[in-house]
Amino acid sequence: MKKFRVLSLLSVLAFIMLFTACGGEKKAAEEKKAEPLEIKVSYIFKENEPTHIAMKEATDAINQRLEGQVKFVLFPNGQLPVYKDGLQQVVRGADFIDVDDLSYIGDYVPEFTALAGPMLYQNYDEYVKLMHSDLVADLKKKAEEKGIKIISLDFIFGFRSIISDKEIKEPADLKGMKIRVPASKLFIDTLNAMGASAVPMSFSETISALQQNVIDGLEGSYATNYLTKTYELRKNMSLTKHFLGTAGVYISTKVWDKLTDEQKAIIQEEFIAGFFLIITVASVVLNVFCRAAGFGTISTSEEIATISFVWSVYIGAVACYKRKMHIGVDMLVQMFSDKGKKIF
């Protein structure tokens, strides 16, 4: 009888332990399920550059709308892999977004290299129209076959030109000059063809290389020159406009397929809004830089007021578009009391 009681007690204890373990596993599984999908967003742009500003605006909105489901975490300034290494993370299926020039997609779909080619675009509109053409839609499908989902190709930060002490008027002026370029074969081949000696280098090393005269100059946009204060180290910006500076947003198809249709729609919608914002910010930077460089002068307070008003309207329009607000009526309604809002 005593032996039977001992066995019964052991059976009860075993059942309790099994039930507790199962409950713990179930709770842990529920907690794991509740964690949002965290996606790292990597790019070379600094915190004060238009692309980062647009990315932050877009991802903040996505995180707010998909709270508890998906979380985007930004890593600017090359903190995580960028360029080829960044795109390799995407192809391998990491929870990772690479924001880079579309020429890097050319390593997987060669036609994209041609679309990022030198001296190809005269203005932003030409680029945007091409990126939304049937041709590029077909190329995007080819990229997906390689494991790359292209969310957007619309991020533009301006034409790239030569920044150096020497004024460049013709290709012969570039002979023997060491010009920093991104680690892209297209960039290297183009600058070499223009007569320079291309030096592939990460941007984090570029400023010190300029200070130590390891390189003679670099190529970049107005935003690069102004926001990184490169103009303090090299006095001339020769407007070669050899490339249009653009960036695409790339994610693994494996990661993209984890998302619901609603989540995908929200992500794409916010990146579209980010495109309008970057155009606005880049244009403001261009305006400021041109005036600071002496291409224009501010002579009256009236002109300053006019410029401020115009850009306030543009930035306001972007904000309203992003929030699906009617620019006139909806902003006015927001000023009403709760009782007044019900009328509308």
Side-chain angles (χ1 to χ4, degrees):
M1 187 69 178
K2 186 175 181 181
K3 184 177 181 181
F4 175 76
R5 286 178 179 175
V6 171
L7 289 172
S8 298
L9 180 60
L10 289 173
S11 298
V12 171
L13 289 172
F15 177 78
I16 291 172
M17 291 174 67
L18 179 63
F19 180 78
T20 303
C22 290
E25 289 176 1
K26 184 178 180 182
K27 184 178 180 181
E30 288 176 350
E31 288 177 352
K32 186 176 181 180
K33 187 178 179 181
E35 293 178 0
L37 172 63
E38 184 174 294
I39 299 175
K40 297 178 176 65
V41 184
S42 176
Y43 45 84
I44 196 65
F45 306 100
K46 295 181 179 294
E47 289 87 341
N48 61 349
E49 292 192 69
T51 304
H52 170 76
I53 295 170
M55 283 294 157
K56 188 174 189 311
E57 182 73 12
T59 55
D60 281 351
I62 292 169
N63 290 343
Q64 184 177 6
R65 295 177 67 182
L66 296 179
E67 186 176 3
Q69 303 173 51
V70 181
K71 182 181 179 182
F72 285 77
V73 183
L74 299 181
F75 291 88
N77 203 23
Q79 298 177 57
L80 293 182
V82 291
Y83 303 146
K84 287 187 176 183
D85 293 338
L87 199 55
Q88 284 176 1
Q89 293 290 318
V90 170
V91 174
R92 290 170 183 166
D95 295 336
F96 189 93
I97 281 181
D98 180 43
V99 181
D100 259 317
D101 181 86
L102 60 86
S103 65
Y104 294 99
I105 300 291
D107 289 343
Y108 301 90
V109 182
E111 293 90 336
F112 271 113
T113 303
L115 300 183
M119 318 296 181
L120 191 58
Y121 305 101
Q122 297 298 313
N123 53 58
Y124 293 179
D125 287 344
E126 289 181 357
Y127 174 82
V128 173
K129 286 178 182 177
L130 181 58
M131 292 305 108
H132 291 271
S133 66
D134 292 338
L135 170 65
V136 174
D138 290 338
L139 294 180
K140 287 181 178 180
K141 291 177 183 177
K142 289 185 179 181
E144 289 179 16
E145 293 172 3
K146 302 293 184 178
I148 304 167
K149 168 65 182 176
I150 300 174
I151 298 176
S152 173
L153 290 172
D154 292 335
F155 288 80
I156 304 172
F157 52 91
F159 283 98
R160 303 176 74 107
S161 294
I162 302 295
I163 304 168
S164 64
D165 280 334
K166 186 177 181 181
E167 190 174 348
I168 309 301
K169 294 183 178 180
E170 56 186 38
D173 295 330
L174 280 168
K175 187 176 181 180
M177 291 186 66
K178 292 177 286 186
I179 303 297
R180 178 267 173 188
V181 297
S184 162
K185 188 175 186 302
L186 178 64
F187 278 75
I188 295 169
D189 290 346
T190 297
L191 268 293
N192 285 338
M194 290 171 65
S197 296
V199 181
M201 181 183 294
S202 67
F203 199 85
S204 59
E205 300 172 352
T206 301
I207 299 301
S208 61
L210 288 170
Q211 292 170 334
Q212 297 169 23
N213 293 315
V214 174
I215 53 176
D216 298 307
L218 69 156
E219 55 84 52
S221 66
Y222 285 115
T224 299
N225 198 1
Y226 181 72
L227 296 173
T228 62
K229 296 186 177 181
T230 307
Y231 59 84
E232 294 181 353
L233 300 173
R234 296 295 183 271
K235 64 182 181 180
N236 285 317
M237 185 169 190
S238 303
L239 302 182
T240 53
K241 296 185 176 180
H242 50 275
F243 282 120
L244 176 60
T246 64
V249 181
Y250 320 120
I251 190 171
S252 168
T253 51
K254 294 177 182 178
V255 178
W256 188 251
D257 291 341
K258 293 179 187 178
L259 305 173
T260 66
D261 290 341
E262 181 184 5
Q263 290 169 341
K264 292 175 182 177
I266 289 172
I267 291 169
Q268 289 182 313
E269 182 182 311
E270 294 301 338
F271 277 117
I272 289 172
F275 157 67
F276 286 102
L277 179 60
I278 192 173
I279 290 295
T280 301
V281 175
S283 297
V284 171
V285 171
L286 172 60
N287 188 287
V288 171
F289 177 78
C290 285
R291 291 178 181 282
F295 299 129
T297 58
I298 298 176
S299 57
T300 65
S301 59
E302 182 179 353
E303 184 180 0
I304 297 173
T306 301
I307 292 170
S308 299
F309 173 75
V310 170
W311 285 115
S312 294
V313 171
Y314 284 167
I315 293 172
V318 172
C320 289
Y321 171 84
K322 186 175 181 304
R323 292 165 176 77
K324 295 185 173 60
M325 297 171 65
H326 182 284
I327 294 175
V329 177
D330 282 4
M331 289 187 72
L332 180 63
V333 171
Q334 297 302 317
M335 300 172 65
F336 292 173
S337 64
D338 291 338
K339 185 181 290 186
K341 289 178 183 178
K342 289 180 181 178
I343 298 174
F344 290 85

